[in-house]
Amino acid sequence: MCLHAPVLSLSGRNTMNPFSLEGKVALVTGAGRGLGQGIARALAQAGADIVGVVNTSRSTQTRDEIETLGRQYDEIQADLSQTSSAAQVVAQASAFHGHIDILVNNSGIIKRNDSLAYTEEEWDLVVDLNLKSVFFLCQAFARQVISQGTPAKIINIASMLSYKGGFRVPSYTASKSGVKGITMSLANEWAGKGINVNAIAPGYMATDNTENLREDPVRAAEILGRIPAGRWGSADDIGGAAVFLASRASDYVHGFTIAVDGGWLAR
Ligand code: NAD
């Protein structure tokens, strides 16, 4: 027998591939569009069934893409800026398959304004969704997987503004710096409990989140000019890092934020 031949279990699953997500269920917030949709697609390509959280209308596009890949797609409608949704969302997500294995905290918003004019409402809207809700989803998910007694993976979506200050986005910078911080903090507490907590920091990606920047010719040229890869990222660029952090391949990776930024931070 060839030593490198894939080993199939009785169920026909490829048990040798450390990147395989077969048999896993991933809860992906904001799966209806943008980076969340790209992450859901990549996890499904690796074999996971997906539970997407959307805050507005149902996402037929994500459903179609996941089902075309032969995986199950279930959806929960919830406003995650209400922290009280967290435990309910995790309970609902776990009920579809009787277990849950991966949490991707992707939902996020940005509000641009001069700091001198920034309102408490703009601050709270961003911080409640991007940071407070991320913490309480992590907590609800960790309680669930600890009661299941199974290993699990948490992937939080951070940002370049987890490292830098940015302009006119103080609440976003605070929230994303906080995401990187709690990723390390929770990893310290939960690594010994079989839960890997890590994050991905996307660079400048062409989604709704960056529409204003891309429409401003001066800012768009400045940004593009300092991306070594010479292009904006896309939802497909994020998937590989998500699969790695969701899979056995990253079992010894804890509390780290991986930049997927075309080299922006290295510049
Ligand atoms: P996007 O605006 O296309 O997606 C945001 C997602 O958040 C949507 O799916 C939306 O439904 C969801 N969402 C918004 N409010 C919500 C609420 N109240 N409850 C539940 N879900 C809600 O932007 P994107 O670029 O795909 O952003 C995804 C994540 O990536 C965000 O956390 C964002 O901060 C982060 N990010 C994006 C970039 C970029 O360049 N696009 C860079 C760094 C980080």
Side-chain angles (χ1 to χ4, degrees):
M1 181 183 131
C2 168
L3 279 178
H4 300 292
V7 175
L8 296 181
S9 68
L10 289 179
S11 65
R13 286 181 179 152
N14 183 339
T15 54
M16 281 288 279
N17 178 359
F19 297 96
S20 171
L21 299 180
E22 286 187 44
K24 304 290 184 188
V25 178
L27 174 61
V28 181
T29 69
R33 65 171 199 249
L35 302 187
Q37 190 173 61
I39 290 168
R41 188 165 53 234
L43 298 181
Q45 275 164 347
D49 292 314
I50 307 295
V51 181
V53 182
V54 295
N55 63 318
T56 49
S57 54
R58 304 247 166 225
S59 173
T60 46
Q61 193 186 344
T62 305
R63 175 180 299 284
D64 288 350
E65 289 190 10
I66 304 300
E67 289 179 354
T68 302
L69 290 165
R71 311 312 328 174
Q72 187 170 323
Y73 180 76
D74 295 289
E75 198 164 77
I76 298 169
Q77 227 166 342
D79 176 3
L80 293 176
S81 64
Q82 304 301 314
T83 327
S84 53
S85 308
Q88 207 183 341
V89 164
V90 169
Q92 253 182 289
S94 312
F96 289 116
H97 296 265
H99 64 101
I100 189 165
D101 311 286
I102 299 156
L103 167 65
V104 183
N105 277 309
N106 163 78
S107 283
I109 52 168
I110 191 162
K111 295 280 172 205
R112 295 174 202 281
N113 197 357
D114 293 341
S115 287
L116 287 174
Y118 221 79
T119 65
E120 189 173 350
E121 190 192 0
E122 286 168 321
W123 180 275
D124 286 345
L125 275 172
V126 173
V127 174
D128 283 356
L129 178 67
N130 293 15
L131 181 60
K132 190 173 174 187
S133 156
V134 168
F135 173 79
F136 284 103
L137 274 167
C138 287
Q139 183 193 61
F141 175 82
R143 287 175 175 166
Q144 169 64 28
V145 296
I146 288 168
S147 77
Q148 282 172 201
T150 52
K153 307 278 184 175
I154 295 176
I155 304 167
N156 295 323
I157 301 303
S159 165
M160 295 295 94
L161 300 190
S162 303
Y163 302 90
K164 307 279 185 183
F167 281 98
R168 304 179 70 248
V169 284
S171 58
Y172 188 81
T173 305
S175 68
K176 293 299 184 177
S177 300
V179 164
K180 181 167 172 287
I182 61 168
T183 297
M184 294 186 285
S185 160
L186 297 177
N188 291 339
E189 285 195 52
W190 297 344
K193 298 184 190 297
I195 305 172
N196 295 72
V197 189
N198 290 292
I200 297 172
Y204 285 84
M205 319 299 277
T207 67
D208 290 358
N209 178 291
T210 52
E211 200 175 354
N212 289 351
L213 288 179
R214 283 177 291 116
E215 280 173 356
D216 176 339
V218 176
R219 283 291 281 135
E222 273 171 13
I223 288 166
L224 192 59
R226 67 153 291 171
I227 301 174
R231 65 174 176 84
W232 286 69
S234 76
D236 284 334
D237 287 313
I238 291 288
V243 170
F244 169 62
L245 291 178
S247 69
R248 271 195 299 121
S250 62
D251 275 356
Y252 201 57
V253 180
H254 291 280
F256 197 69
T257 298
I258 298 179
V260 179
D261 64 349
W264 193 90
L265 277 182
R267 185 117 174 184

